[in-house]
Amino acid sequence: RVGPHRGVHRPGVAEAERDLLDHLASRRARVPRVLPTADGAASVTVEVPDLPGPRTCMLLESVPGQPVR
């Protein structure tokens, strides 16, 4: 998931989302899991030439099922 160039979340939200999804998964909920960066972080900040501002990016696993309309 690639966030907008204008941050809409407070610092630490990616880690909180990972913790929530991990908690739900531990209770047998079928939720996507956050795939950590090489250093174990929940997200990474990326800057791309020709795009305005930095973006916070997270990689989540796919969950089997039907797409929601």
Side-chain angles (χ1 to χ4, degrees), residues 5-60:
H5 71 88
R6 292 192 177 143
V8 295
H9 299 293
R10 294 179 185 199
V13 167
E15 290 77 12
E17 182 175 4
R18 175 179 55 191
D19 292 346
L20 174 62
L21 292 172
D22 287 348
H23 175 74
L24 292 172
S26 75
R27 300 205 173 232
R28 302 189 195 278
R30 192 176 250 178
V31 294
R33 305 301 293 273
V34 175
L35 299 175
T37 64
D39 65 353
S43 66
V44 63
T45 301
V46 177
E47 292 195 52
V48 177
D50 302 324
L51 290 179
R55 314 284 172 130
T56 299
C57 302
M58 294 178 70
L59 183 60
L60 294 102

